[in-house]
Amino acid sequence: MTQRKTYPTACPYDCPDCCGLLVTVEDGRAVKIAGDPAHPFTRGTLCPKMAHYERTVHHPGRLVTPLRRTGKKGAGDFAPIPWDEAIIEITERFRAIVKDYGAEAILPYSYAGTMGAVQHNGYHAFFYRLGASNLLRTICAPAKGYGVQAVMGKSFITAPQEAQQSDCIVLWSLSMLASDLHFLHDVNAAKARGATVWCIDTYATRTMERVADERIVIRPGTDGALALGILHILHRDGLTDDAFIERHVQGWDALVKDVLPRYTPAVVSEITDIPVARIEAFAHAYGTARAPFLRLGSGFSRYTNGVMTARLIACLPAAVGAYAKPGGGLLSSISSSHAIDRECIYHTDWKKPDTRSLNMCELGRILNDDKLTPPIKAIYVYSSNPAATAPDQVQVLRGLAREDLFTVVHERFLTDTARYADIVLPATSSLEADDLYYSYGNYCLQRGRAILPPVGESKSNWQVACLLAKGMGWDDPFFDQTDSDLVAELIESTRRCWELPLDLDKLKSGEPVPLPLPEDYKMMFRTPSGKIEIENPAETPPLPDHVPPTGDDAAFFFVNAPDARILDSSFNEREELTRGHTMELLMHPSDAARLHLADGQRVRASNARGAATFTLILSKRTPPGTVVSEGVWSHTVAGGCNTNALTSQRLTDRAGGSTFYDVKVNVAAI
């Protein structure tokens, strides 16, 4: 007899929305995925990727058994092996490497292939106990977080639903239709009440074209200068909230005296390529708004000046007192993870204090560095696909191709990275493992249950960490816990971690649970001074100022923007999303005419690090001097290299972040 049941759960992917899902299961298979109308932020809608998540879960390409490499690294030639044999081989190799080189010769590498608190962090304790090198997981947007926190401290970030009451919404460096789709609910609610939406980006994104009322296209890496120009005009024209500044802002007078005079509209126009009239118009729209709401994406922070830029943009709401106004504020990244105590998974007391830390953005250098002591002799990759997503792809692939590098990849599919592995382990999807999900774009928690049996012999991150611990001969009861044991402990930890009580029964049941906020949460400035710190004595320099990005010696700014069909390299397995796709390079017609290039022509973009092949698309969406490619595509692309053959291992000014957008290229016909 057919059994059919629908379960609530959450989307596991690296997106700020963390959608509520309703998954219908029939005879052990997911047959339908729908949005959960009960979710307080995502409100029943799904992006095209998750609308048919069952096609990923039950994809014929899912790995179903451990594999051992039989051919050349990168060729993808493997033979099945049993789980016990795989664990023995991994742990024996680890023990040998520890004996010969020390545990720091082993590097775990992961990021946000799953955002569940258990599976995202499930290997941490194992590698701390082992003494492996620590990985600095900074590939996304730590510069934005660091910069905003330098101004706002650990204050609550404005909830997205506040935007419904705003009359002026600013989408800054946010490709919302690709990477924050559900904020559109709040934007549309505000527009229905008469709000104006401004969009600032390096090219005309689909969000800019379809959502914005007012558009500003900015020269890449100059967002900080624009912020200073706006602040200059706000001060010059008496548009600041002086009473708010006097009571709640530290350093405004110093900024006015020492920095703002240098950033006149004419100077800022020269830096940003934005006409003076547009700078003036935006500053006045923001300064005269009843409740301006600023939503920050992350692109602006992926330059070598990323932290400084974030500090400067974070000054804008302070200047106009936006936090004191219903509907006003700043939404960057929300720390819903603060509602739980992840230490119950981390076990950081096992972390050896002198263990070295290596930055994931420099993986290419790390794997090829002959002088690194000890050298990396093993890499264990999970919840990530660095062969496609790490910067300076040519160097990364060269490192992964080393025959003396023992590589293990725990994955659902034979990804670009898995093709270089010595051992591949099959991983569960989010529907096959227990977890607890938090969002970084809204205030909500949700439990996910294992509502399907594992596909083939796949195992969760936590389950494999426990197997490896046993294989190393460790008998600590910590590794006897199940995924659901850890979820239960995380749920219980909310009692001490979140200052207002949650509905724990609802959370345990799998329903989405909003995190309650204090009534005056926007005005609780949790900084050392108790004020918004435009001038922060703990920072160098204490006052923020624009610093030009580093860039490259090449002709065109190169922006690698998100594509709505995929998420980094995830969903490349879905034929209906990727069928017929070739990497495309958007170029302004005037640039193409100057270079004698034609629409649809195959071109080569290159710089000192590498080259990638694209199909040229002539488009006025990108300004002259800037070329754009959308999406991080898999090894199936022509030539085997994607946009990350062009990106750099340079780090941001602070926080060790990636500089994916701080890139220039030359473009030529093939």
Side-chain angles (χ1 to χ4, degrees), residues 191 329 408 595:
K191 291 184 75 169
V408 181
L595 297 175

Side-chain angles (χ1 to χ4, degrees), residues 53-366:
Y53 182 44
E54 76 278 2
R55 295 176 183 172
T56 288
V57 173
H58 300 298
H59 193 281
R62 280 284 300 273
L63 298 172
V64 295
T65 183
L67 304 172
R68 179 188 288 122
R69 177 169 64 94
T70 58
K72 184 179 178 181
K73 286 197 172 189
D77 297 325
F78 295 91
I81 57 173
W83 263 104
D84 57 353
E85 191 173 326
I87 296 298
I88 290 170
E89 182 165 341
I90 294 168
T91 53
E92 285 184 348
R93 290 291 296 269
F94 279 4
R95 277 193 288 267
I97 290 169
V98 171
K99 179 176 180 291
D100 293 340
Y101 298 94
E104 289 180 319
I106 300 170
L107 178 68
Y109 188 101
S110 71
Y111 199 61
T114 174
M115 292 297 286
V118 174
Q119 308 308 339
H120 181 274
N121 307 304
Y123 281 105
H124 282 44
F126 172 80
F127 285 107
Y128 289 157
R129 173 76 179 268
L130 183 64
S133 288
N134 296 318
L135 183 72
L136 299 176
R137 293 172 170 84
T138 58
I139 203 164
C140 186
K144 178 177 73 169
Y146 186 105
V148 171
Q149 187 166 320
V151 177
M152 300 301 299
K154 296 184 179 180
S155 306
F156 285 104
I157 296 297
T158 310
Q161 293 90 337
E162 281 270 345
Q164 295 183 27
Q165 303 175 66
S166 174
D167 59 333
C168 178
I169 297 175
V170 182
L171 308 176
W172 198 315
S173 198
L174 178 74
S175 190
M176 182 177 65
L177 297 184
S179 58
D180 189 19
L181 178 64
H182 299 87
F183 186 52
L184 185 60
H185 288 291
D186 304 295
V187 171
N188 284 340
K191 291 184 75 169
R193 297 184 177 100
T196 299
V197 177
W198 288 76
C199 189
I200 302 170
D201 220 314
T202 52
Y203 76 110
T205 64
R206 296 303 184 193
T207 301
M208 185 179 285
E209 289 187 326
R210 298 174 185 176
V211 180
D213 302 299
E214 301 285 349
R215 308 170 182 178
I216 292 179
V217 174
I218 190 170
R219 181 184 178 93
T222 65
D223 303 72
L226 176 59
L228 284 167
I230 297 163
L231 291 165
H232 177 103
I233 296 168
L234 293 175
H235 170 67
R236 183 198 70 190
D237 295 350
L239 299 175
T240 55
D241 187 331
D242 294 339
F244 180 90
I245 291 171
E246 176 67 25
R247 186 173 181 183
H248 299 294
V249 180
Q250 173 178 286
W252 174 254
D253 289 343
L255 189 76
V256 167
K257 177 178 178 291
D258 298 334
V259 180
L260 295 189
R262 291 183 277 114
Y263 292 93
T264 65
V267 169
V268 171
S269 176
E270 183 70 21
I271 296 171
T272 63
D273 290 337
I274 303 168
V276 168
R278 293 301 288 159
I279 298 172
E280 295 272 6
F282 174 54
H284 277 260
Y286 189 78
T288 60
R290 170 183 49 79
F293 188 100
L294 178 53
R295 176 61 168 110
L296 290 184
S298 298
F300 74 86
S301 72
R302 294 182 180 131
Y303 297 84
T304 50
N305 60 7
V307 167
M308 186 63 79
T309 299
R311 288 179 67 187
L312 290 166
I313 297 174
C315 295
L316 292 172
V320 297
Y323 298 107
K325 302 169 181 177
L330 170 70
L331 171 56
S332 54
S333 292
I334 289 172
S335 297
S336 294
S337 61
H338 291 173
I340 57 177
D341 183 4
R342 288 176 289 180
E343 179 58 26
C344 65
I345 303 169
Y346 286 163
H347 225 313
T348 55
D349 57 310
W350 287 345
K351 189 176 180 180
K352 296 173 176 59
D354 296 328
T355 303
R356 71 181 175 189
S357 294
L358 301 174
N359 192 307
M360 68 187 307
C361 303
E362 300 178 306
L363 181 64
R365 177 189 63 77
I366 291 164

Side-chain angles (χ1 to χ4, degrees), residues 10-22:
C11 173
Y13 286 95
D14 185 12
C15 166
D17 295 5
C18 192
C19 292
L21 308 178
L22 294 176

